[in-house]
Amino acid sequence: MQEPLLGSEGLDYDTFPETPASPRERTRAGVLQNRRVFLATFAAVLGNFSFGYALVYTSPVIPALKLSSDPELHLDKKQASWFGSVFTLGAAAGGLSAMVLNDLLGRKLSIMFSAVPSVIGYALMAGARGLWMLLLGRTLTGFAGGLTAACIPVYVSEIAPPGVRGALGATPQLMSVFGSLSLYALGLLLPWRWLAVAGEGPVLVMILLLSFMPNSPRFLLSKGRDEEALQALTWLRADSEVHWEFEQIQDNVRRQQLTGITPILVYLQTIFDSTSVVLPSQQDAAIVGAVRLVSVLIAAVTMDLAGRKVLLYVSASVMFVANLTLGLYIHFGPRPLTPNSTLGLEIMTTEQPPATSFNYLTLIPLLATMLFIMGYAMGWGPITWLLMSEVLPLRARGVASGLCVLVSWLTAFVLTNYFLLAVNDFGLQVPFFFFSAICALSLLFTGCCVPETKGRSLEQIEAFFQTRRMSFRP
């Protein structure tokens, strides 16, 4: 598609004529309307917090279990690989389930349902007496994560006004990052069993808050529950003057009837153990988590200002540079002071002597990883899920979002499960060269296929694709 697909910022889109809002209306929209939307969004994205927490749970736990004296819990390389990657299989199953649950139960109830496997999964890992309990618990938390990954972006996009949908669309990724950072921080203080216990808290708070939040008005209208939909929209906007927006949605319903982020996060501490880094690997992982959080905050602030497409360009470019830098450093840089004792990620591609003193080059793995996480978190992390919920038509949004999650996490499983095998066979630099090639392809994809949806309602975006216009201009 040519530039820009949805680039016009004027009010010349004539499918739904817009009327200027008075200063009083704009004030109320910014203060009252958004306040309740923010509350509902926060309640929902607590599920993403749990998802991010569970995703990187293995980062400090695998090294601890590698050294465990309990033969039932001691992990070899193959078992550690499965413990790290089985989460993605659960997430794929969660995405598959979302294809049904999103439209059967609705967005809100599907998010609440995810608490059941999440609570059981954390309990199994906290009380694990054998490898099977760890794997089952990890799979269940993955299932919950896949379900929320498909349902929460749809829920948030359907309740948010156009003016803040970009910022709110970044909050699922923001909370996921915050969950991962919390795990890294708690991993410095708590034993691995208590890390699982701590994961139960956000899930229970999510259930409590969501029970007071409304369902998506668009979902309710698609099920013929018009009165409930109007009540939900009125509550979200904190205003009785919602009939124009309600009629837009109602009219629309009537007409219808691989970047490498997952293996890097899962094995982050292990990767640092395998390179010559300045700080202990646990501290490096926590620092990277903090950078990831700040980056998503930047994306949330700028998404409705700069637009989605610009951030995707910047994101892919930064990730390309970071992955290429990591690959080149590992291939040509100094070897670690001590061999990795966790998963056997030895650097076998160079014959250089071990580093014996401080070398500023040893900052490169940490800085490049921070750069990669920053690039992902400010673009391809939050924006892809937001775009998914924006461009999909209402009638297919529940099923298609689940399918996207299914494909995403099946790919993540392949990458995560074979990451260690590829490292042992070919060297740690090879996956990073592969990831850099994927990032280069994503730049091309963004330029050719990705629309700019900034500032448009979901009904305007859907009408655009139905009419197949090249821009919003009549």
Side-chain angles (χ1 to χ4, degrees):
M1 297 183 183
Q2 298 300 314
E3 182 81 21
L5 183 62
L6 303 181
S8 175
E9 297 296 331
L11 298 177
D12 51 4
Y13 183 83
D14 60 355
T15 301
F16 298 108
E18 300 180 8
T19 56
S22 67
R24 170 181 165 276
E25 291 171 333
R26 288 195 296 269
T27 301
R28 297 194 68 178
V31 178
L32 294 176
Q33 295 179 10
N34 292 345
R35 182 182 301 169
R36 291 187 176 180
V37 172
F38 293 161
L39 177 60
T41 299
F42 173 75
V45 298
L46 283 172
N48 291 105
F49 179 96
S50 181
F51 167 75
Y53 188 97
L55 174 64
V56 301
Y57 177 74
T58 54
S59 183
V61 174
I62 285 179
L65 293 179
K66 188 68 177 178
L67 301 175
S68 174
S69 58
D70 186 346
E72 297 297 323
L73 295 173
H74 182 81
L75 299 182
D76 59 26
K77 288 192 293 184
K78 185 176 181 180
Q79 291 169 334
S81 178
W82 273 101
F83 186 43
S85 62
V86 75
F87 179 93
T88 59
L89 283 182
L96 185 64
S97 299
M99 295 172 65
V100 176
L101 296 178
N102 231 340
D103 290 325
L104 181 65
L105 300 179
R107 290 53 160 141
K108 187 186 85 166
L109 290 181
S110 296
I111 299 169
M112 296 177 72
F113 176 79
S114 72
V116 177
S118 186
V119 167
I120 296 174
Y122 280 127
L124 283 170
M125 290 189 289
R129 292 293 180 265
L131 178 62
W132 72 270
M133 295 180 71
L134 291 173
L135 294 180
L136 180 57
R138 184 96 170 119
T139 302
L140 287 173
T141 54
F143 179 91
L147 184 57
T148 56
C151 300
I152 292 176
V154 174
Y155 178 75
V156 171
S157 70
E158 289 186 348
I159 66 174
V164 296
R165 194 174 62 244
L168 292 184
T171 56
Q173 182 71 12
L174 175 64
M175 289 298 285
S176 177
V177 171
F178 190 52
S180 297
L181 178 59
S182 299
L183 185 283
Y184 291 137
L186 290 176
L188 301 174
L189 305 173
L190 299 179
W192 63 271
R193 292 187 187 275
W194 283 102
L195 287 176
V197 173
E200 304 274 15
V203 181
L204 300 177
V205 176
M206 178 192 74
I207 285 289
L208 178 63
L209 291 180
L210 271 180
S211 62
F212 296 101
M213 299 298 113
N215 213 321
S216 159
R218 289 172 171 86
F219 167 76
L220 293 172
L221 274 172
S222 70
K223 298 301 180 182
R225 296 152 64 178
D226 292 22
E227 185 176 345
E228 291 180 58
L230 180 58
Q231 292 175 352
L233 189 63
T234 301
W235 187 90
L236 287 166
R237 301 297 183 259
D239 200 333
S240 60
E241 301 172 12
V242 296
H243 292 284
W244 180 80
E245 182 180 358
F246 182 76
E247 288 173 2
Q248 278 195 67
I249 302 171
Q250 192 175 47
D251 181 64
N252 182 58
V253 171
R254 284 172 178 167
R255 288 201 312 269
Q256 288 180 1
Q257 294 301 4
L258 276 167
T259 62
I261 187 64
T262 301
I264 290 176
L265 292 178
V266 170
Y267 301 121
L268 186 58
Q269 187 170 319
T270 298
I271 291 171
F272 283 138
D273 282 334
S274 304
T275 55
S276 300
V277 290
V278 178
L279 299 174
S281 58
Q282 300 95 324
Q283 296 182 26
D284 286 318
I287 291 172
V288 170
V291 170
R292 190 173 166 220
L293 177 63
V294 172
S295 302
V296 179
L297 283 171
I298 293 173
V301 171
T302 59
M303 201 179 300
D304 286 318
L305 299 175
R308 284 63 155 153
K309 201 163 184 175
V310 171
L311 289 179
L312 288 178
Y313 279 130
V314 174
S315 174
S317 301
V318 169
M319 289 192 294
F320 172 78
V321 171
N323 276 314
L324 187 60
T325 301
L326 275 170
L328 292 174
Y329 172 84
I330 292 167
H331 187 72
F332 296 108
R335 300 175 65 182
L337 292 173
T338 58
N340 175 46
S341 60
T342 305
L343 290 173
L345 294 181
E346 295 85 3
I347 307 305
M348 299 179 292
T349 57
T350 66
E351 297 298 331
Q352 301 180 27
T356 56
S357 61
F358 176 77
N359 186 339
Y360 283 105
L361 287 177
T362 60
L363 288 170
I364 291 179
L366 176 61
L367 295 177
T369 304
M370 290 168 61
L371 186 66
F372 171 80
I373 297 295
M374 179 184 298
Y376 176 81
M378 69 184 299
W380 279 89
I383 294 178
T384 50
W385 297 108
L386 172 63
L387 279 174
M388 175 192 73
S389 60
E390 286 183 329
V391 303
L392 292 173
L394 178 62
R395 65 178 180 275
R397 199 169 291 152
V399 173
S401 61
L403 182 61
C404 291
V405 171
L406 171 65
V407 173
S408 173
W409 285 105
L410 284 177
T411 305
F413 168 75
V414 173
L415 290 176
T416 307
N417 196 44
Y418 287 98
F419 180 81
L420 299 181
L421 298 177
V423 168
N424 287 329
D425 290 343
F426 305 108
L428 184 57
Q429 73 276 14
V430 171
F432 291 110
F433 288 144
F434 172 75
F435 297 150
S436 64
I438 296 298
C439 292
L441 290 176
S442 70
L443 276 170
L444 180 62
F445 176 81
T446 301
C448 297
C449 305
V450 176
E452 178 57 74
T453 58
K454 180 184 71 171
R456 301 297 173 181
S457 71
L458 298 182
E459 286 65 46
Q460 288 176 323
I461 296 169
E462 185 165 343
F464 163 82
F465 282 108
Q466 289 175 345
T467 57
R468 299 182 181 179
R469 300 183 181 188
M470 292 304 297
S471 74
F472 272 114
R473 297 187 182 278

